[in-house]
Amino acid sequence: MDTSNGQTLFEREAGRRFVPASVTKVMTVYTAFKLIDEGALRTEMPFQYTQELEDAWYNEGSNMFLRAGEQPTIGQLLLGITTVSGNDASVALAVAATGSLENWLALMNANAAELGMNDTHFGSPNGYPDGGQTYTSARDLALLGEALTKNYPELYKRYFGHRGLRWGGIAQDNHDPVTGRVDGADGMKTGYTREAGFTFLGSAERDGRRLMMVLAGSPNGGLRDRTARELLEWGFDNFEQSMLVPSQAVVGHALVQDGESPRVALRTPVAVRTTIPRGTALGDVTMEIVYRGPIEAPITDGDRIAQLRVSIDGEPTLEFPLEAAATVERANAWQRIVNAWRRWTA
């Protein structure tokens, strides 16, 4: 998926549910980033790792190898998750941030719902086998990766893309197969269990254009890693963007109810671009303004009140937000009479 415009370049069974294994941890990181951004969690806050947690998670699958009595900070736990896929670090972060796994899972699932991840549910913070409670889809993971990189770009750069981590005298490498191997690649997360097979959510950015890719159910790690690299290179090498409408261009109007004006101009807050195979013609492009209307006043300049639906060769391809290009105050009594007369005579 090209996240600069949300366009899917290739998909196969993108809505099929599967077990994500450690790719689950991307939602744990997203949930932490959101709390940090809201001021509810601080990266420098220490957490007292308990004997109970050590007994449950030491050397259980991929590990940061935390020991009871240690006091990692939230930032160190995040690095333990993003760099060495620590199952122990994921649980520690959950407990440190909300006091219990139950509270943390509620946040993870609320965030999934907010992002429109309709084929996803989380039953653990780390993807450890849980009897099928945790599942997702390629489409949903692409949405999650897009939200992570767009909503929290500085935190993403700070915590993803590290090649290794040393904790407690143990040095480990990051198993990310694309960072350092594909130009512009910077993460995100591999996963493996017998139930899930080999999975990966990966991303790379070149010249302001970011691609997000998902692989699931690979029978071995080598195939997953090669395919991940080849998919990203294919996306950059074989596609280019074409501008349809520049940013801040007025493209039409929406009807207004009970406003001082009967309609309001609509403009593009960002450039409308489509991604096409290199060396090919754009094809027959049609654009349609879509909104639930008339839109009730008051409306403020900049309010996002409509969508621009783009179809190429008759196939709906993309939707872009449209915003009000002016402020429309609520009509006074006389203006409402005039508006009613206009509607009656139209």
Coordinates of all heavy atoms in Angstrom, one line a residue, residues 284-322:
D284 N -8.8 6.7 -18.0 CA -10.0 7.6 -17.9 C -10.3 7.8 -16.4 O -10.6 6.9 -15.7 CB -11.2 6.9 -18.6 CG -12.4 7.7 -18.5 OD1 -12.3 8.9 -18.5 OD2 -13.5 7.1 -18.4
V285 N -10.1 9.1 -16.0 CA -10.3 9.4 -14.6 C -11.6 10.2 -14.4 O -11.8 11.2 -15.1 CB -9.1 10.3 -14.1 CG1 -9.3 10.7 -12.6 CG2 -7.8 9.5 -14.2
T286 N -12.4 9.8 -13.5 CA -13.6 10.6 -13.1 C -13.5 10.8 -11.6 O -13.0 10.0 -10.8 CB -14.9 9.8 -13.4 OG1 -14.9 8.6 -12.7 CG2 -15.0 9.5 -14.9
M287 N -14.1 12.0 -11.2 CA -14.0 12.4 -9.8 C -15.5 12.8 -9.4 O -16.1 13.5 -10.1 CB -13.0 13.5 -9.6 CG -11.6 13.1 -9.7 SD -10.4 14.4 -9.5 CE -10.4 15.2 -11.1
E288 N -15.8 12.4 -8.2 CA -17.2 12.6 -7.7 C -17.1 13.1 -6.3 O -16.4 12.6 -5.5 CB -18.0 11.3 -7.8 CG -19.4 11.4 -7.2 CD -20.1 10.1 -7.1 OE1 -19.4 9.1 -7.3 OE2 -21.3 10.1 -6.8
I289 N -17.9 14.2 -6.0 CA -17.9 14.7 -4.6 C -19.0 14.0 -3.9 O -20.2 13.9 -4.3 CB -18.2 16.3 -4.6 CG1 -17.1 17.0 -5.3 CG2 -18.5 16.8 -3.2 CD1 -17.3 18.5 -5.5
V290 N -18.7 13.5 -2.7 CA -19.6 12.6 -1.9 C -19.7 13.2 -0.5 O -18.7 13.5 0.1 CB -19.1 11.2 -1.8 CG1 -20.1 10.3 -1.0 CG2 -18.9 10.6 -3.2
Y291 N -20.9 13.5 0.0 CA -21.2 13.9 1.3 C -22.6 13.7 1.7 O -23.5 13.4 0.8 CB -20.8 15.4 1.5 CG -21.7 16.3 0.7 CD1 -22.8 17.0 1.3 CD2 -21.5 16.6 -0.6 CE1 -23.7 17.8 0.6 CE2 -22.3 17.5 -1.4 CZ -23.4 18.0 -0.8 OH -24.2 18.9 -1.5
R292 N -22.9 13.7 3.0 CA -24.2 13.6 3.5 C -24.8 15.0 3.7 O -24.3 15.7 4.5 CB -24.3 12.8 4.8 CG -24.0 11.3 4.7 CD -24.1 10.6 6.0 NE -23.9 9.2 5.9 CZ -24.0 8.3 6.9 NH1 -24.3 8.8 8.1 NH2 -23.7 7.1 6.7
G293 N -25.7 15.3 2.9 CA -26.1 16.7 2.9 C -27.6 16.9 2.7 O -28.3 15.9 2.5
P294 N -28.1 18.1 2.8 CA -27.2 19.3 3.0 C -26.6 19.3 4.4 O -27.1 18.7 5.3 CB -28.2 20.5 2.8 CG -29.5 19.9 3.1 CD -29.5 18.5 2.7
I295 N -25.4 20.0 4.5 CA -24.7 20.1 5.7 C -25.2 21.2 6.6 O -25.3 22.4 6.1 CB -23.2 20.2 5.4 CG1 -22.7 19.0 4.5 CG2 -22.3 20.4 6.6 CD1 -21.3 19.2 3.9
E296 N -25.5 20.9 7.8 CA -26.1 21.9 8.7 C -25.0 22.9 9.1 O -23.9 22.6 9.5 CB -26.7 21.2 9.9 CG -27.5 22.1 10.8 CD -28.3 21.4 11.8 OE1 -28.3 20.2 11.8 OE2 -28.9 22.1 12.6
A297 N -25.4 24.2 9.1 CA -24.6 25.3 9.6 C -24.7 25.3 11.1 O -25.6 24.8 11.7 CB -25.1 26.6 9.0
P298 N -23.6 25.9 11.8 CA -22.5 26.6 11.2 C -21.4 25.6 10.7 O -21.2 24.5 11.2 CB -22.0 27.4 12.4 CG -22.4 26.6 13.6 CD -23.7 25.9 13.3
I299 N -20.6 26.1 9.8 CA -19.5 25.4 9.2 C -18.3 26.4 9.3 O -18.4 27.5 9.0 CB -19.7 25.1 7.7 CG1 -21.0 24.1 7.6 CG2 -18.5 24.4 7.1 CD1 -21.4 23.9 6.2
T300 N -17.2 25.8 9.8 CA -16.0 26.6 9.9 C -15.0 26.3 8.8 O -14.9 25.2 8.3 CB -15.3 26.3 11.2 OG1 -16.2 26.6 12.3 CG2 -14.0 27.2 11.4
D301 N -14.4 27.4 8.3 CA -13.3 27.2 7.2 C -12.3 26.2 7.7 O -11.7 26.2 8.7 CB -12.6 28.6 7.0 CG -11.7 28.6 5.8 OD1 -11.3 27.5 5.4 OD2 -11.3 29.7 5.4
G302 N -12.1 25.1 6.8 CA -11.2 24.1 7.2 C -11.9 22.8 7.7 O -11.2 21.8 7.8
D303 N -13.2 22.9 8.0 CA -13.9 21.6 8.5 C -13.9 20.6 7.3 O -14.2 21.0 6.2 CB -15.3 22.0 8.8 CG -15.4 22.7 10.2 OD1 -14.4 22.7 10.9 OD2 -16.5 23.1 10.5
R304 N -13.6 19.4 7.6 CA -13.6 18.3 6.6 C -15.0 17.8 6.6 O -15.5 17.1 7.5 CB -12.6 17.2 6.9 CG -11.1 17.8 6.9 CD -10.1 16.7 6.8 NE -8.8 17.3 6.6 CZ -7.7 16.6 6.4 NH1 -7.7 15.3 6.4 NH2 -6.5 17.3 6.1
I305 N -15.7 18.0 5.5 CA -17.1 17.8 5.4 C -17.5 16.9 4.2 O -18.7 16.6 4.1 CB -17.9 19.1 5.4 CG1 -17.5 20.0 4.2 CG2 -17.8 19.9 6.7 CD1 -18.3 21.2 4.0
A306 N -16.6 16.5 3.4 CA -16.9 15.8 2.2 C -15.7 14.9 1.7 O -14.7 15.0 2.3 CB -17.4 16.7 1.1
Q307 N -16.0 14.1 0.7 CA -14.9 13.2 0.2 C -14.9 13.4 -1.4 O -15.9 13.7 -2.0 CB -15.2 11.8 0.5 CG -15.2 11.4 1.9 CD -13.8 11.3 2.5 OE1 -12.9 10.8 1.8 NE2 -13.6 11.6 3.7
L308 N -13.7 13.3 -1.9 CA -13.5 13.3 -3.4 C -13.2 11.9 -3.8 O -12.2 11.3 -3.4 CB -12.4 14.2 -3.8 CG -12.2 14.4 -5.3 CD1 -13.4 15.0 -6.0 CD2 -10.9 15.1 -5.7
R309 N -14.2 11.2 -4.5 CA -14.0 9.9 -4.9 C -13.5 9.8 -6.3 O -14.0 10.4 -7.2 CB -15.4 9.1 -4.8 CG -15.3 7.7 -5.2 CD -16.6 7.0 -5.0 NE -17.0 7.0 -3.5 CZ -18.3 6.8 -3.1 NH1 -19.3 6.7 -4.0 NH2 -18.5 6.9 -1.8
V310 N -12.3 9.2 -6.4 CA -11.6 9.1 -7.7 C -11.8 7.7 -8.3 O -11.5 6.7 -7.6 CB -10.1 9.4 -7.5 CG1 -9.4 9.3 -8.9 CG2 -9.9 10.8 -7.0
S311 N -12.2 7.6 -9.5 CA -12.4 6.3 -10.2 C -11.5 6.4 -11.5 O -11.4 7.4 -12.2 CB -13.8 6.1 -10.7 OG -14.7 6.0 -9.5
I312 N -10.8 5.3 -11.7 CA -9.9 5.2 -12.9 C -10.4 4.0 -13.7 O -10.6 2.9 -13.2 CB -8.4 4.9 -12.5 CG1 -8.0 6.1 -11.6 CG2 -7.5 4.8 -13.7 CD1 -6.6 6.0 -11.1
D313 N -10.7 4.3 -15.0 CA -11.2 3.3 -15.9 C -12.5 2.6 -15.4 O -12.7 1.4 -15.5 CB -10.2 2.2 -16.2 CG -9.0 2.8 -17.0 OD1 -9.2 3.7 -17.8 OD2 -7.9 2.3 -16.9
G314 N -13.3 3.4 -14.7 CA -14.6 3.0 -14.2 C -14.5 2.3 -12.8 O -15.6 1.9 -12.3
E315 N -13.3 2.1 -12.3 CA -13.2 1.4 -11.0 C -12.9 2.4 -9.9 O -11.9 3.1 -10.0 CB -12.1 0.4 -11.1 CG -12.3 -0.8 -12.0 CD -13.5 -1.7 -11.5 OE1 -13.6 -1.8 -10.3 OE2 -14.2 -2.2 -12.4
P316 N -13.7 2.4 -8.8 CA -13.4 3.3 -7.7 C -12.1 2.9 -7.1 O -11.8 1.8 -6.8 CB -14.6 3.0 -6.7 CG -15.7 2.5 -7.5 CD -15.0 1.7 -8.6
T317 N -11.2 3.9 -7.0 CA -9.8 3.6 -6.6 C -9.4 4.3 -5.3 O -8.8 3.7 -4.4 CB -8.8 4.1 -7.7 OG1 -9.2 3.5 -8.9 CG2 -7.4 3.8 -7.3
L318 N -9.8 5.6 -5.1 CA -9.3 6.3 -3.9 C -10.4 7.3 -3.5 O -11.3 7.7 -4.2 CB -8.1 7.1 -4.3 CG -6.8 6.4 -4.7 CD1 -5.8 7.4 -5.3 CD2 -6.2 5.7 -3.5
E319 N -10.3 7.7 -2.2 CA -11.1 8.7 -1.6 C -10.2 9.7 -0.9 O -9.3 9.3 -0.1 CB -12.2 8.2 -0.7 CG -13.4 7.6 -1.5 CD -14.6 7.3 -0.6 OE1 -14.5 7.6 0.6 OE2 -15.6 6.9 -1.1
F320 N -10.4 11.0 -1.1 CA -9.6 12.0 -0.5 C -10.6 13.0 0.3 O -11.7 13.2 -0.2 CB -8.8 12.8 -1.5 CG -7.8 12.0 -2.2 CD1 -8.1 11.3 -3.3 CD2 -6.5 12.0 -1.7 CE1 -7.1 10.6 -4.0 CE2 -5.5 11.3 -2.4 CZ -5.8 10.6 -3.5
P321 N -10.2 13.5 1.5 CA -11.0 14.4 2.2 C -11.1 15.7 1.5 O -10.2 16.2 0.8 CB -10.3 14.6 3.5 CG -8.8 14.3 3.2 CD -8.9 13.2 2.1
L322 N -12.3 16.4 1.6 CA -12.5 17.7 1.2 C -12.9 18.6 2.3 O -13.7 18.2 3.2 CB -13.6 17.8 0.1 CG -13.3 17.1 -1.2 CD1 -14.5 17.1 -2.1 CD2 -12.1 17.8 -1.9

